[in-house]
Amino acid sequence: MRSGRAGEAIQAARAARDLAPVDQHGELILAYALLEAGGTGNIVAALEAAQRARRLAPDDPMVHVAEGDALRRTARFDAAREAYERALALAPDDAVALYSLAELDAGRGRALSAAPALAAVLAAEPADATVLRVATRSARGALWLVTDVASLLLVIASVATSLLRLGVDGPAGSAAGVATAVGGIGCAAAFLRWRLRALSRPTLTLIRQHLRRPTFAVAVLRLVATAVAALLFAVDPDPGGSGGLKVFAMPATSLPFILLLLRARNWFAREVSWLLRRGWFGVARGAGRPRP
């Protein structure tokens, strides 16, 4: 049923385009009908329709947004960003172009880059549910990205403190361990303060509003757990034994580290999938798919 409706929409869009072949709006309608239908051939055809629209009306911001939308579906993200930026050069306050650029960055996991554009869109469309949903997702992503680096610093501090205690006995080892742990915690805190202050006000507001949600809270709780672990390693009365405070400190260090590894693996898998998709569409375009 859905494919039948999509086919009808494409046919209607082509008919409208044929009635006014020099009007970019017909090409835009066709491009979005093809994108809605999906499929390799339709997406390639949508990109070609958007490019024809751009050639017909290069001063219309929407033709650049449509080209960016089609490029994004082919995983050509840098080219899509350039298309959105061309639209914004023509209309700096265009909410659609700002939203598209922000959604591109948010979808790629670049929440820090998406934050300024989303802030501008939220200022223009504060009640838009879709914009708010994407902004919330971006705020969550920004929080995780910032705390990823802080978490890595704390894991390094925790491991360094543990190794130091094994190499230096007595009160001197405890003092050196505490100094190492506190230094690591201080570095992580300074980095957090620097990066969070760089976020836009709407992003910070969304983080505060949703901090009790598990998907937000875990990003912060792992920092607390690793910081406590570093201090436990520092004051462990039996650093070389199998018991003592390390029974609690080791899981509090290893679990955040495993979480970092999982996030790195997911990032790598996502990048590989996009690379394959980009290659697939490159082959499809080179093979000369049927044009509308």
Side-chain angles (χ1 to χ4, degrees):
M1 290 292 291
R2 182 177 178 181
S3 61
R5 289 195 296 269
E8 292 174 0
I10 292 172
Q11 290 178 1
R14 282 176 175 159
R17 187 272 311 271
D18 292 341
L19 289 174
V22 295
D23 184 359
Q24 78 274 19
H25 296 101
E27 296 288 3
L28 290 176
I29 293 171
L30 176 58
Y32 282 111
L34 290 163
L35 287 176
E36 179 67 23
T40 301
N42 286 332
I43 293 173
V44 170
L47 176 56
E48 293 170 349
Q51 290 172 337
R52 287 194 299 271
R54 172 171 54 80
R55 289 192 291 270
L56 288 170
D59 294 331
D60 183 352
M62 286 310 301
V63 303
H64 300 286
V65 172
E67 186 177 7
D69 290 344
L71 286 166
R72 186 171 59 179
R73 293 286 291 274
T74 67
R76 293 172 60 190
F77 299 118
D78 291 339
R81 167 176 278 278
E82 291 175 1
Y84 295 141
E85 289 175 346
R86 287 196 300 270
L88 289 170
L90 294 168
D93 297 325
D94 188 273
V96 176
L98 284 167
Y99 173 77
S100 298
L101 179 58
E103 190 180 33
L104 170 68
D105 286 333
R108 292 194 66 193
R110 298 182 175 181
L112 297 177
S113 299
L118 280 173
V121 179
L122 277 173
E125 304 286 346
D128 190 303
T130 301
V131 172
L132 186 59
R133 182 172 65 251
V134 173
T136 301
R137 184 183 69 188
S138 178
R140 183 180 67 234
L143 178 64
W144 276 90
L145 285 173
V146 170
T147 55
D148 276 344
V149 178
S151 180
L152 180 60
L153 292 174
L154 289 171
V155 167
I156 292 172
S158 184
V159 172
T161 302
S162 175
L163 295 176
L164 183 63
R165 288 303 318 277
L166 290 174
V168 182
D169 295 328
S174 296
V178 170
T180 301
V182 171
I185 293 170
C187 287
F191 174 82
L192 276 176
R193 179 180 175 81
W194 171 58
R195 290 307 302 160
L196 289 175
R197 290 182 65 180
L199 294 178
S200 64
R201 186 177 299 275
T203 299
L204 289 173
T205 300
L206 287 170
I207 290 174
R208 294 190 190 98
Q209 289 176 347
H210 296 88
L211 200 53
R212 293 187 179 182
R213 289 188 178 183
T215 52
F216 283 76
V218 171
V220 178
L221 290 176
R222 61 178 174 157
L223 302 183
V224 176
T226 316
V228 171
L231 293 173
L232 290 177
F233 278 129
V235 299
D236 189 355
D238 184 20
S242 58
L245 297 178
K246 69 177 65 62
V247 173
F248 304 101
M250 290 183 69
T253 300
S254 59
L255 290 178
F257 180 64
I258 291 172
L259 185 56
L260 283 172
L261 292 178
L262 289 174
R263 283 178 54 77
R265 183 205 64 179
N266 292 342
W267 174 86
F268 180 77
R270 188 171 62 243
E271 290 293 327
V272 170
S273 70
W274 284 332
L275 179 63
L276 293 174
R277 184 176 179 87
R278 186 158 54 248
W280 170 257
F281 277 100
V283 171
R285 292 196 71 193
R289 286 291 189 270
R291 300 190 179 189

